[in-house]
Amino acid sequence: MPHSRPGWVARSHSLGKPAASKQTTLKVYLAPHGGLAALKDDVAAVSTPGNARYGKFLSASQYHATYDPTSAEVKAVKTYLKDQHVTTTGVAAHHAYLTVRGTNAHISKAFGVSLAKFQHQGQAVQANTDAVTLPGTIASSVLTVTGLDTTKTKIQHLSSTPAPPPAGFNNARPCSTFYGQVLATKQADYKTPLPKFNGKSLPYAVCGYTGPQLRAAYQGANPSGLDGSGVTVGILDAYASPTIAQDAQTYATNHGDGSYAKNQLTQVTPSAYTNQADCDPSGWFGEETLDVEAVHAMAPGSKVRYYAAASCYDDDFLNGLTKIVNQNKVQVVSNSWGEPDEGENGDALAAYQEVFMQASMQGISVLFSSGDNGDELANTAIKQTDSPASSPYVTAVGGTAAGIGSDGSMTFQTGWGTQKYSLSASGQAWTPVGYLYGAGGGTSSLFNQPSYQKGVVPSSQANGRAVPDVAMDADPTTGMLVGETQTFTDGVRYGEYRIGGTSLASPLFAGQTALMLQNSGGKSAGLLNPLLYKQLNKAAYVDDVSGPGPDAGNVRVDYSNGENASDGLLYSIRTFNQDSSLTVTKGWDNVTGVGSPNAGYINYKLK
């Protein structure tokens, strides 16, 4: 069974065998009826422009009637496991998986694996040291087996700023209302000189772009008045902010994004939340706030349907995605979370892919942030892409640094990648700190190159699925202003702060896509990538992002305590277009994909 042996096992030292009598619970995911290969062919057919089946999507009930494993297939797997003394304790809805339980001895025999103990990611775990093997009579009916590797995989949200709650966070002044407005020649007292950088004075960072600025820059005059009406955008994060409705309404009112109509913003929550001590729910509240407000900023007429995972662990996000596709109430879903490919449990990998393929068959466009650690080398010591963004069945959204001028026009776009320089103690020089963050990208080791990338992605990237596909503003230096209830020293209250990361880029692109779908009469697009690479990979729809901007970077000033000037100010330079080993070039590149969707994108009509 491919990917069923954890990749990390080969680099880890076994601590011996677990007790043979220990009980282990697993999930045995069943393959779609008709086989995985047939489902992949069907996804390609409905997603590829020019195919006779393009755009002929299924309802959720039609999907299940066609692809759900049959009762006979369920019975065959249960019978085999029973013969191996492994008990089936439950069958999930739509026969998606069997929950099974047995001793390690019986589990090892049933799945043809050896089990060993390890210390992994700070946890005492057990995992299989070889791939799962099943007899031919049932092998085609089993998609993957989860739980052999007992590592609890924690998902990270990808907003690149300190998580504001529970401590309040404010952006220090001076900052620019639009790009380049205030040159950083003096410190905040407007008396003490700041040194130049490479012989040039740089602008102060923007205070944070607002909805009207972002809409003007990406959508132009928008003569059709597109606002996303008739389209529902989904968002999946962990937990749910108790103040999101009032915060989003306050932010929209403050910045001209239009008030939310009744039921325009809804939350779908689980019956209970778990692992709160491990997952920092308040940090996820900030992620939800960014995602909701960014979608509304770009598409103020669209509905936003927020789904809350029960925790920040892999299983709960998989459950959340499954709920989204089975409810089938959204046309686009933005996901601002992930982890390095190596951290993804191989057993969960196949389960994710089937959910993404179901979404594609139902016309749901699934978007993922490409990551905030560039090539991941500095973060993990291995060059790699992030998952699930590296799946060929999702659209990976990379990041740019974007200059929006006084008239709302896009003055430049370049790659998001940041080297940091701090002001020296003498105040006379900028001291290099090193690489800070940047848009994720590269070539996946998990997936082969999909057909839609052939002829567009350079041959140097052709060994696997190349990431990202598109990009929008993600640099925290040129980030978006958002508003959220936070805990300040003077009490709990609403406050606003600038934020970035590909966590920003993904919901911005979701909002931009909502306008394109509205312009297409409310049609759904499903997997966007074949369309992006073949039809929309042109200047009329997507701006090529290549080369540097007008400045090496911007000067950023921060409060030492994150809230006010009582403990002093910190000055730093955050550069542009220095994303680890990733670079922007003409055409597709591993920072911005095919480019940044412009006004032509929202005015495209699906055929």
Side-chain angles (χ1 to χ4, degrees):
M1 184 175 293
H3 302 299
S4 58
R5 175 179 182 261
W8 59 264
V9 165
R11 295 181 297 278
S12 301
H13 175 67
S14 170
L15 301 177
K17 292 186 176 295
S21 60
K22 179 184 176 182
Q23 292 281 326
T24 294
T25 298
L26 309 175
K27 288 181 180 178
V28 179
Y29 282 83
L30 301 182
H33 181 63
L36 190 60
L39 176 56
K40 289 180 178 180
D41 288 343
D42 290 344
V43 169
V46 300
S47 305
T48 305
N51 190 292
R53 293 176 58 193
Y54 177 60
K56 295 181 179 178
F57 302 118
L58 305 179
S59 67
S61 60
Q62 288 171 327
Y63 177 87
H64 290 302
T66 305
Y67 297 105
D68 281 358
T70 64
S71 297
E73 290 166 336
V74 171
K75 182 179 179 181
V77 176
K78 288 175 67 175
T79 299
Y80 167 76
L81 294 174
K82 182 179 179 181
D83 291 344
Q84 301 298 317
H85 307 288
V86 175
T87 303
T88 299
T89 59
V91 179
H94 308 294
H95 297 167
Y97 60 82
L98 310 181
T99 304
V100 305
R101 186 168 176 81
T103 66
N104 279 339
H106 291 142
I107 290 289
S108 295
K109 183 180 178 185
F111 295 100
V113 297
S114 296
L115 297 174
K117 295 188 293 185
F118 299 92
Q119 191 72 23
H120 181 234
Q121 295 185 359
Q123 305 169 44
V125 303
Q126 69 178 40
N128 50 307
T129 58
D130 36 26
V132 170
T133 302
L134 291 168
T137 53
I138 65 161
S140 62
S141 297
V142 177
L143 182 68
T144 188
V145 181
T146 67
L148 292 168
D149 175 2
T150 62
T151 305
K152 295 183 69 177
T153 304
K154 188 184 294 187
I155 300 295
Q156 302 295 325
H157 57 80
L158 298 173
S159 49
S160 289
T161 196
F169 181 80
N170 285 318
N171 294 119
R173 267 50 177 176
C175 55
S176 298
T177 303
F178 54 86
Y179 186 85
Q181 178 193 23
V182 182
L183 274 183
T185 57
K186 306 287 186 182
Q187 292 189 20
D189 59 8
Y190 292 101
K191 296 179 181 178
T192 307
L194 280 171
K196 294 181 178 181
F197 184 77
N198 293 337
K200 180 179 179 180
S201 291
L202 301 177
Y204 273 112
V206 295
C207 305
Y209 296 133
T210 61
Q213 289 176 295
L214 291 163
R215 290 194 296 276
Y218 284 107
Q219 299 168 12
N222 192 4
S224 300
L226 299 171
D227 64 357
S229 293
V231 179
T232 301
V233 178
I235 295 167
L236 175 62
D237 289 317
Y239 307 107
S241 168
T243 61
I244 187 61
Q246 66 193 57
D247 290 343
Q249 192 73 272
T250 300
Y251 180 82
T253 301
N254 286 354
H255 299 290
D257 289 340
S259 297
Y260 289 77
K262 184 178 180 181
N263 297 323
Q264 188 179 355
L265 170 62
T266 56
Q267 292 193 109
V268 182
T269 58
S271 58
Y273 296 112
T274 59
N275 298 300
Q276 296 184 59
D278 295 340
C279 294
D280 180 28
S282 61
W284 285 96
F285 297 167
E287 182 62 63
E288 177 186 359
T289 300
L290 165 61
D291 293 348
V292 168
E293 292 176 0
V295 169
H296 190 68
M298 297 302 284
S302 69
K303 290 185 177 180
V304 179
R305 190 171 176 87
Y306 175 79
Y307 287 82
S311 82
C312 67
Y313 285 102
D314 229 347
D315 280 353
D316 289 319
F317 275 95
L318 186 56
N319 289 340
L321 286 166
T322 301
K323 181 183 292 185
I324 289 170
V325 296
N326 285 337
Q327 287 191 355
N328 204 31
K329 293 181 179 294
V330 305
Q331 290 155 280
V332 186
V333 57
S334 177
N335 300 273
S336 295
W337 47 271
E339 59 188 327
D341 279 351
E342 190 192 49
E344 179 65 86
N345 282 344
D347 50 11
L349 200 63
Y352 270 120
Q353 303 321 302
E354 187 172 13
V355 176
F356 298 148
M357 284 188 275
Q358 180 180 345
S360 299
M361 290 301 299
Q362 294 175 196
I364 301 173
S365 303
V366 181
L367 318 179
F368 270 90
S369 302
S370 71
D372 289 0
N373 293 305
D375 62 14
E376 288 286 359
L377 182 63
N379 184 44
T380 67
I382 300 172
K383 285 187 179 182
Q384 57 183 316
T385 54
D386 278 20
S387 183
S390 61
S391 167
Y393 298 105
V394 308
T395 298
V397 187
T400 65
I404 301 178
S406 58
D407 61 355
S409 64
M410 186 74 77
T411 60
F412 77 92
Q413 295 187 83
T414 189
W416 170 39
T418 305
Q419 296 278 341
K420 180 180 177 181
Y421 295 78
S422 293
L423 185 63
S424 65
S426 67
Q428 303 299 308
W430 297 105
T431 303
V433 175
Y435 179 73
L436 197 59
Y437 39 42
T443 305
S444 173
S445 62
L446 298 177
F447 301 101
N448 293 322
Q449 185 187 69
S451 60
Y452 54 74
Q453 290 192 320
K454 296 184 187 301
V456 179
V457 172
S459 57
S460 59
Q461 304 279 337
N463 291 330
R465 156 67 158 131
V467 175
D469 300 304
V470 292
M472 293 188 76
D473 188 23
D475 193 330
T477 303
T478 64
M480 178 179 165
L481 193 70
V482 298
E484 179 185 16
T485 298
Q486 303 163 61
T487 305
F488 295 92
T489 52
D490 61 353
V492 177
R493 58 180 172 80
Y494 174 89
E496 298 183 346
Y497 55 91
R498 181 186 61 239
I499 194 168
T502 51
S503 272
L504 169 60
S506 182
L508 289 178
F509 182 59
Q512 194 83 330
T513 300
L515 270 62
M516 186 264 282
L517 297 181
Q518 178 192 9
N519 191 58
S520 301
K523 287 183 179 180
S524 295
L527 177 62
L528 285 166
N529 296 356
L531 181 68
L532 287 169
Y533 280 85
K534 302 305 180 186
Q535 254 72 17
L536 300 186
N537 182 23
K538 300 173 184 176
Y541 307 111
V542 179
D543 289 329
D544 183 47
V545 180
S546 58
D551 302 298
N554 280 184
V555 174
R556 172 170 159 169
V557 55
D558 289 293
Y559 296 126
S560 294
N561 60 19
E563 187 174 333
N564 55 54
S566 61
D567 295 324
L569 299 173
L570 301 173
Y571 296 86
S572 64
I573 284 175
R574 312 295 176 98
T575 65
F576 299 142
N577 199 29
Q578 292 187 301
D579 191 9
S580 54
S581 66
L582 310 179
T583 56
V584 296
T585 60
K586 190 169 180 57
W588 183 93
D589 63 64
N590 51 21
V591 180
T592 68
V594 298
S596 180
N598 56 26
Y601 178 81
I602 69 170
N603 288 300
Y604 181 81
K605 284 186 182 294
L606 292 169
K607 305 296 190 290

